[in-house]
Amino acid sequence: MSAELTIEDLIVGDGKAAVRGALITTHYRGFLADGTEFDSSYRRDEPFQCILSNNRVIQGWILGLQGMKTGGKRRLWVPAALAYGERQIGTMIPPNSDLTFEIELLEVLTRDD
């Protein structure tokens, strides 16, 4: 995996675009570099809601989801430096892990809504 964030649009949405500070609702799957799935909102059957800002989600999501439109699906290859860095997260994500996410953007709410 490269040292930079890589973004691939699987489906280009046609709805409202995600911006920093927006409340977003997504479905996602997260994978380690070896392909092991470490998390999935689909498996929990519960969409994930978060504010697209520091201290809410990893930098890779903040950078990788801005401009993505509702209805879209995107794959992000996130280097460890833009994920959890040297921290171990639970039992599934070792330190210095590059991560891959498949993210479906369901809704974007901004302060203007």
Side-chain angles (χ1 to χ4, degrees), residues 14-85:
D14 57 7
K16 189 170 184 174
V19 295
R20 185 184 278 269
L23 176 66
I24 62 169
T25 304
T26 66
H27 258 310
Y28 72 92
R29 289 183 176 90
F31 302 91
L32 300 176
D34 69 2
T36 301
E37 185 178 276
F38 64 82
D39 195 9
S40 170
S41 65
Y42 293 101
R43 197 171 54 234
R44 289 190 301 275
D45 195 27
E46 185 176 317
F48 175 69
Q49 224 178 32
C50 66
I51 295 173
L52 201 55
S53 69
N54 293 343
N55 304 321
R56 302 292 182 171
V57 291
I58 61 171
Q59 279 293 107
W61 273 46
I62 294 169
L63 299 171
L65 295 183
Q66 289 183 70
M68 183 180 180
K69 293 182 177 178
T70 304
K73 193 169 188 178
R74 191 172 269 188
R75 183 176 291 131
L76 303 178
W77 286 273
V78 181
L82 296 177
Y84 299 104

